[in-house]
Amino acid sequence: MVGDASRTPFFEKAIIQRLNSVPGGPESQVVLDLGTGPFAFFAILAAQAGAGKVYAIEASKEAAKSARVAVKQAGFEDVIEIVEGFSTEITLPQKVDFAVAEIIGSVATEEGAYGTILDAHNRFLKEPNKASNWIPSRIQ
C-alpha cells in the first residue's frame, strides 16, 4: 500500500478528514489500523495527523516487529501501540472511534476480510454502524 499511488492518497485524505471532523479535534480520536503491515503506514499517518491513540493490529510476527521499528523511527511510540496477533483473537483496552482496514485484495473475501471486519465491527468500534467510522466505508 505504501507505494500504491492510485489508492494511498485517497486513504490519506479520508484519515485526515475523519480526524478533523470531530468537535474534540484529532487528539480526541482513538484509531484502529487493522492489518498495519510492516511499515505501520496508516497508523503513522493517523499519528502525524494528530490522533490521540492508534492501535495497529498485525497478525504476522515479522511484520509486527518491522512495524515497531517504523513507529520508533517516526517518533510515535507514545501514540501508536502495535498489537501482535489475529484481530479476532485479541482484546483492545478501549473501543476506537474509527478503523482503517486495508486488508482487502481485489475481492472482499480475500485475506478473510469479511470475518475480520465483522468481528472488528462487533467488538472494537464505539459506533460501528456509522459509515464514517470505517475507511474504506464499504467493500464489494
Side-chain angles (χ1 to χ4, degrees), residues 33 36-48 53-58 63-83:
D33 181 2
T36 199
F39 305 109
F41 184 71
F42 293 129
I44 292 171
L45 180 66
Q48 287 172 333
K53 182 68 178 177
V54 180
Y55 295 103
I57 299 176
E58 179 50 54
K65 183 178 178 180
S66 295
R68 285 186 187 94
V69 171
V71 167
K72 184 175 183 175
Q73 288 176 341
F76 288 111
E77 290 175 295
D78 58 331
V79 176
I80 301 171
E81 182 179 334
I82 303 297
V83 183

Side-chain angles (χ1 to χ4, degrees), residues 52-125:
K53 182 68 178 177
V54 180
Y55 295 103
I57 299 176
E58 179 50 54
S60 163
K61 184 176 185 170
E62 296 79 24
K65 183 178 178 180
S66 295
R68 285 186 187 94
V69 171
V71 167
K72 184 175 183 175
Q73 288 176 341
F76 288 111
E77 290 175 295
D78 58 331
V79 176
I80 301 171
E81 182 179 334
I82 303 297
V83 183
E84 187 178 321
F86 288 99
S87 64
T88 55
E89 298 172 357
I90 63 155
T91 302
L92 295 178
Q94 63 184 312
K95 297 242 181 191
V96 303
D97 294 294
F98 74 96
V100 180
E102 205 299 301
I103 58 171
I104 299 151
S106 59
V107 179
T109 56
E110 287 183 24
E111 299 187 52
Y114 180 76
T116 299
I117 298 293
L118 182 61
D119 177 71
H121 176 276
N122 291 333
R123 297 189 310 119
F124 296 141
L125 273 77

Side-chain angles (χ1 to χ4, degrees), residues 20-36:
N20 289 306
S21 71
V22 295
E27 62 279 353
S28 70
Q29 296 294 283
V30 179
V31 180
L32 171 62
D33 181 2
L34 194 55
T36 199

